[in-house]
Amino acid sequence: MSHAATREAIDDAKWAVLAPTGPPGFKDQPFAYHTELTMDIQTVTNDGHGIGRVELPGQHGKTWVVMVRDVIAGERVRVKIYRNFQNYSFAVLTEVLEASPNRIEPQCKLFGACGGCQYQHMTLEAQRELKRGHVQQVLHRLAGLPPDVQVNPVLGTGDAFGYRSKLTPHYDRPRRDQEGGGPIGFNSKFSRQIVDVPHCPIALDAINDQLPQTRQEVVEKRRRAVEAERHGIRKARGGTLLLRATEQGVVTDPRQECSEKVGRYRFWYTAGSFFQNNPFVLPRMVEYVNARLREPLSDGAPPRFLLDCYCGVGLFAICGHAHLETVVGVEVQGESVEAARRNAAENGANNCRFVLGNAQAIFGALSGDPSLPAMPSPSMAVVIDPPRKGCDRSFLRQLFRLSPARVVYVSCNPATQARDTIDFLGNGYRIDDIQPVDIFPQTKHIENIITFANERPGVPSENFPSSSPHTPPLTDADAPTAG
Ligand SMILES: C[S@@+](CC[C@H](N)C(=O)[O-])C[C@H]1O[C@@H](n2cnc3c(N)ncnc32)[C@H](O)[C@@H]1O
């Protein structure tokens, strides 16, 4: 795509903010559409919004919060208002007047428009320090830990671009006047509009090499769909593509079996099911989890038994099995459990067993297993790696009754992890280590690992719900925090 065409894509995506008149229904209080302001950025939230305060027009001394993307704390910038809410406004960056020393030129020409990346305008070191601070803040704000709670420097590799092994671009239902055309890419930073992304610099080269062909297939498919719709056969639809770089090449069929190596272990999985997406940092993350699992417990010996809850295709179970007597993985998705069994067999992890079921019912899955000790056991460790919504209440209740000596909690959403931390602290656990991992450089996403040590291992806790007030379930919308 030529640079001019790229600019066009950016302009399209910024339509909502750069159009000469406001969008229909624009609320013009306290600022009219496109009011230009100069502001100082005080902080950046964990969803990538810079926050500053500006004086309200005609109300001397009264200030108003304005949020703007693609900025860095400490910068002075010019912005244009494009949306007012009850307590704050959104603005688009038009000029950086005083740049932070951490500012760099974004590598992607679509950076100002595409919603996929938030931090390309910062050095990698600055991104990681920002993410470390966000983990600290969320644990302070939601779990009541001290504001300066010890959080390790973010674990990552130097692979800041060309690292993503999975890409899922979307496309809208084709419009009749577009024939097969229309953008294929990611949501805009400013609206639900899709920005056309013919090349994504955070994806692996193999994915970018495959992208033109996969996009062309969509164009053909859409052309046929529009034609069919014209003849009243069926309605054309939008969709999401899958491109996964694997040992079998780039796979686009979600049902295809594929494999990937992590250290010396090979993992099979179905392309559409869960597998981690950064093959560079993954071995480091697994190494870190294994190191936590091997540390001696209070009796001086390392854990002998491991439960891997939300185990997917057995990543942590299989990578950690060699130092354990018995490992049991629990996973709700049937095809992932089948893959986990195959992975254990092919990798010689004969002490691993995988149970199809809900992590909410772990006791049922474990009871009567002769390879496990009588429960609760002081030699038991647990790895948990739940989806973004965090742990279910009934899962936590059972976990605290099981009373494992150590729990390594891997999370892709530090906000729900912080919520669950309240329950760990209220049920006899203390925090031993907090380790963020930069799985997705250039983006706001961070993986965070908390290691909990049980002060009374093997003694079931009945103190649940814990005495500390439990915050209600969080959604993604709760995640942004002013830092
Ligand atoms: C973030 S992934 C982690 C997978 C694995 N630990 C890994 O790193 O490859 C979460 C996994 O939890 C599974 N899952 C979601 N809800 C579950 C539940 N209630 N019980 C058991 N597994 C669940 C999903 O199918 C998914 O495989």
Side-chain angles (χ1 to χ4, degrees):
M1 193 186 224
S2 72
H3 186 62
T6 310
R7 272 262 42 107
E8 229 170 72
I10 291 183
D11 290 347
D12 267 2
K14 284 191 174 177
W15 171 85
V17 285
L18 298 179
T21 56
F26 178 78
K27 175 177 168 292
D28 66 355
Q29 290 299 320
F31 294 107
Y33 192 66
H34 276 188
T35 300
E36 283 208 66
L37 301 165
T38 297
M39 60 187 271
D40 294 318
I41 305 301
Q42 291 162 355
T43 183
V44 174
T45 67
N46 61 5
D47 78 339
H49 276 105
I51 293 188
R53 284 190 164 271
V54 295
E55 221 165 82
L56 275 173
Q59 297 188 45
H60 187 67
K62 265 198 153 181
T63 59
W64 184 258
V65 170
V66 175
M67 304 230 231
V68 58
R69 291 185 179 276
D70 308 341
V71 294
I72 302 176
E75 290 189 323
R76 167 161 286 205
V77 294
R78 285 291 281 171
V79 302
K80 267 186 180 178
I81 296 291
Y82 71 90
R83 207 159 167 196
N84 293 310
F85 293 93
Q86 204 166 357
N87 301 315
Y88 59 95
S89 300
F90 274 158
V92 64
L93 176 70
T94 53
E95 192 183 350
V96 179
L97 301 173
E98 287 169 29
S100 157
N102 295 325
R103 179 171 280 277
I104 54 171
E105 194 57 32
Q107 208 177 95
C108 181
K109 293 193 182 82
L110 296 174
F111 177 67
C114 173
C117 289
Q118 292 73 37
Y119 298 148
Q120 280 195 30
H121 61 297
M122 294 181 201
T123 61
L124 193 56
E125 296 70 34
Q127 294 179 27
R128 290 185 177 159
E129 200 37 37
L130 183 67
K131 291 182 185 186
R132 194 181 79 84
H134 286 153
V135 168
Q136 212 167 29
Q137 285 153 20
V138 93
L139 285 169
H140 169 58
R141 196 171 63 93
L142 298 180
L145 299 183
D148 58 352
V149 58
Q150 164 75 39
V151 174
N152 299 336
V154 173
L155 184 67
T157 66
D159 308 279
F161 288 94
Y163 66 83
R164 260 197 94 112
S165 56
K166 178 185 170 193
L167 213 63
T168 53
H170 332 290
Y171 55 95
D172 280 334
R173 183 177 125 69
R175 293 203 320 252
R176 284 193 183 192
D177 60 340
Q178 283 178 323
E179 292 294 333
I184 305 167
F186 302 109
N187 282 357
S188 149
K189 271 190 176 147
F190 307 103
S191 67
R192 293 226 172 126
Q193 207 180 329
I194 293 174
V195 176
D196 194 53
V197 180
H199 179 272
C200 176
I202 64 170
L204 282 168
D205 287 347
I207 289 185
N208 279 312
D209 292 346
Q210 170 64 35
L211 202 48
Q213 187 189 325
T214 306
R215 284 164 56 88
Q216 188 53 37
E217 284 164 12
V218 172
V219 173
E220 297 302 329
K221 188 174 153 189
R222 288 206 290 204
R223 191 169 291 137
R224 287 194 301 274
V226 168
E227 200 48 39
E229 196 173 88
R230 267 197 200 110
H231 292 95
I233 298 175
R234 74 182 113 78
K235 267 189 144 199
R237 295 210 199 123
T240 299
L241 300 170
L242 170 72
L243 294 102
R244 240 189 205 285
T246 71
E247 286 187 310
Q248 290 69 36
V250 177
V251 171
T252 54
D253 177 355
R255 292 156 306 181
Q256 187 176 327
E257 290 201 333
C258 48
S259 63
E260 195 170 322
K261 277 195 97 174
V262 181
R264 61 196 167 100
Y265 300 113
R266 171 165 289 119
F267 289 90
W268 286 92
Y269 56 94
T270 315
S273 63
F274 183 88
F275 198 74
Q276 305 282 356
N277 296 329
N278 182 333
F280 299 97
V281 79
L282 188 54
R284 304 276 303 271
M285 181 163 107
V286 166
E287 222 171 82
Y288 171 84
V289 169
N290 279 343
R292 297 285 74 74
L293 290 175
R294 264 183 244 149
E295 275 167 9
L297 300 169
S298 50
D299 63 2
R304 291 164 51 207
F305 308 97
L306 175 68
L307 272 186
D308 181 359
C309 297
Y310 309 89
C311 70
V313 297
L315 178 75
F316 294 119
I318 291 168
C319 290
H321 84 281
H323 298 268
L324 293 149
E325 276 176 38
T326 305
V327 183
V328 176
V330 183
E331 164 63 44
V332 82
Q333 230 201 20
E335 61 190 16
S336 291
V337 172
E338 275 170 35
R341 289 176 183 150
R342 172 182 182 180
N343 293 334
E346 291 192 10
N347 287 302
N350 300 325
N351 57 347
C352 293
R353 192 166 79 80
F354 293 95
V355 178
L356 173 64
N358 206 313
Q360 279 89 287
I362 47 171
F363 265 129
L366 301 177
S367 61
D369 185 327
S371 61
L372 288 174
M375 302 282 184
S377 157
S379 313
M380 171 76 76
V382 174
V383 173
I384 50 183
D385 184 7
R388 286 188 71 74
K389 67 179 175 148
C391 293
D392 183 272
R393 306 284 290 148
S394 62
F395 169 76
L396 287 176
R397 182 176 296 113
Q398 292 176 69
L399 186 72
F400 298 138
R401 286 209 191 116
L402 185 65
S403 194
R406 178 172 299 141
V407 178
V408 181
Y409 186 156
V410 182
S411 167
C412 55
N413 185 350
T416 52
Q417 185 188 41
R419 176 204 64 197
D420 295 340
T421 294
I422 297 173
D423 287 316
F424 278 91
L425 300 180
N427 283 273
Y429 286 85
R430 61 162 205 274
I431 292 177
D432 256 3
D433 204 48
I434 306 176
Q435 181 61 66
V437 183
D438 196 11
I439 288 214
F440 298 116
Q442 319 304 339
T443 79
K444 63 185 175 183
H445 299 289
I446 183 84
E447 198 87 358
N448 192 48
I449 308 176
I450 301 186
T451 304
F452 293 99
N454 193 343
E455 315 244 275
R456 301 169 313 224
V459 179
S461 171
E462 300 298 342
N463 181 27
F464 191 86
S466 43
S467 43
S468 41
H470 195 287
T471 39
L474 293 170
T475 63
D476 279 359
D478 296 308
T481 55

